[in-house]
Amino acid sequence: MFDETMKLGGLNVQLCYYRGFNEFEYSAWCASSEQLHKIMHQVYCVAGHTQVVRLLQHAYVQSQQEPVNALVFIGDCLEENVDTLCQRAGELALYGVPVFIFQEGNDEHAQAAFQEIASLTHGAYAQFDASSASQLRDLLSAVAVYAAGGRIALQQFQQKRGRTILSLPSSSPASSNIT
C-alpha cells in the first residue's frame, strides 16, 4: 500500500481493531509500512462479538477532525443491528468517507449488511477466502491508491496491473488518510 502511494504523496493509515468484551483499540496514524507492521504484530485475537458500529463511529469522529479518504474493514461475520450500522454509514457518507469492505468467507447475513454499508458510502465490497492473501493485498493496494490519488489514480493502477481489482460505483466521490 505504502509503496503504491509514495508517488501520489503518501498515505497515512490508522489500524483499528476490536476483540473480546467491548474492547476497541486504534493506533496513531502510520506513514510507513514499518510503523504499521510493528503495531500489527502486537495485535492478537480474543473471542467476542463484532463491533463494527464502533469502528464506523470512530471513523466519523476522525473525519470531523481531519479528512479521511477511505475506511477499510476486513471481517467475516456480523452480529450487530443492520439499521444502526446503516445509520452510521449514512453519517460517514455525509463526510465523503467511502467504506471498503472485504469479507472472508460467505456469511450471507454479513454479506448483505456489508454490501449495504459499502453502497451507502459509495465504497465497494469484495469477498476473499483464507487462501487468497494476494487478492487481499491487491484490494488493499487499490484502496490505498484511491485514497491517495482518487479515481484517476485507481484507474491508472488497474491499467498497470492489467485488470480491474476494485470496482467503484459511478457516483463515488473523488478523493490521504485511511482508517
Side-chain angles (χ1 to χ4, degrees), residues 69-71 93 96-102 114-126 143 146 150-152 154-155 158 164-175:
N69 294 341
L71 175 121
V97 180
V99 178
F100 297 89
I101 300 180
F102 306 131
F114 292 161
Q115 288 174 329
E116 186 64 22
I117 292 166
S119 175
L120 285 169
T121 62
H122 306 288
Y125 165 87
V143 172
Y146 172 78
R151 183 181 290 277
I152 292 171
L154 175 61
Q155 290 170 344
Q158 293 182 133
T164 299
I165 297 167
L166 183 67
S167 296
L168 296 178
S170 60
S171 62
S172 181
S175 41

Side-chain angles (χ1 to χ4, degrees), residues 11-170:
L11 178 72
N12 290 318
V13 174
Q14 184 179 63
L15 179 68
C16 302
Y17 62 92
Y18 53 82
R19 64 182 173 201
F21 177 72
N22 210 29
E23 184 179 352
F24 178 83
E25 303 289 335
Y26 57 91
S27 72
W29 290 96
C30 302
S32 73
S33 58
E34 293 80 18
Q35 288 175 302
L36 187 59
H37 284 168
K38 184 177 178 182
I39 294 166
M40 289 176 75
H41 285 293
Q42 297 172 4
V43 176
Y44 57 89
C45 294
V46 176
H49 288 276
T50 60
Q51 299 177 49
V52 179
V53 73
R54 288 183 74 184
L55 173 65
L56 298 176
Q57 178 63 29
H58 174 74
Y60 176 76
V61 169
Q62 290 291 302
S63 69
Q64 292 177 320
Q65 297 170 4
E66 60 185 295
V68 174
N69 294 341
L71 175 121
V72 175
F73 174 75
I74 302 169
D76 60 350
C77 65
L78 184 70
E79 293 116 353
E80 297 167 77
N81 181 285
V82 176
D83 292 333
T84 302
L85 290 164
C86 288
Q87 173 69 30
R88 292 287 181 242
E91 292 167 354
L92 277 176
L94 293 175
Y95 277 85
V97 180
V99 178
F100 297 89
I101 300 180
F102 306 131
Q103 181 185 5
E104 180 183 2
N106 56 5
D107 180 295
E108 291 179 8
H109 169 71
Q111 179 180 355
F114 292 161
Q115 288 174 329
E116 186 64 22
I117 292 166
S119 175
L120 285 169
T121 62
H122 306 288
Y125 165 87
Q127 278 186 312
F128 71 98
D129 62 40
S131 66
S132 58
S134 64
Q135 180 188 10
L136 182 58
R137 183 192 65 235
D138 288 346
L139 288 166
L140 292 172
S141 293
V143 172
V145 167
Y146 172 78
R151 183 181 290 277
I152 292 171
L154 175 61
Q155 290 170 344
Q156 291 170 346
F157 172 76
Q158 293 182 133
Q159 286 174 349
K160 185 173 122 183
R161 294 286 177 102
R163 68 186 196 289
T164 299
I165 297 167
L166 183 67
S167 296
L168 296 178
S170 60

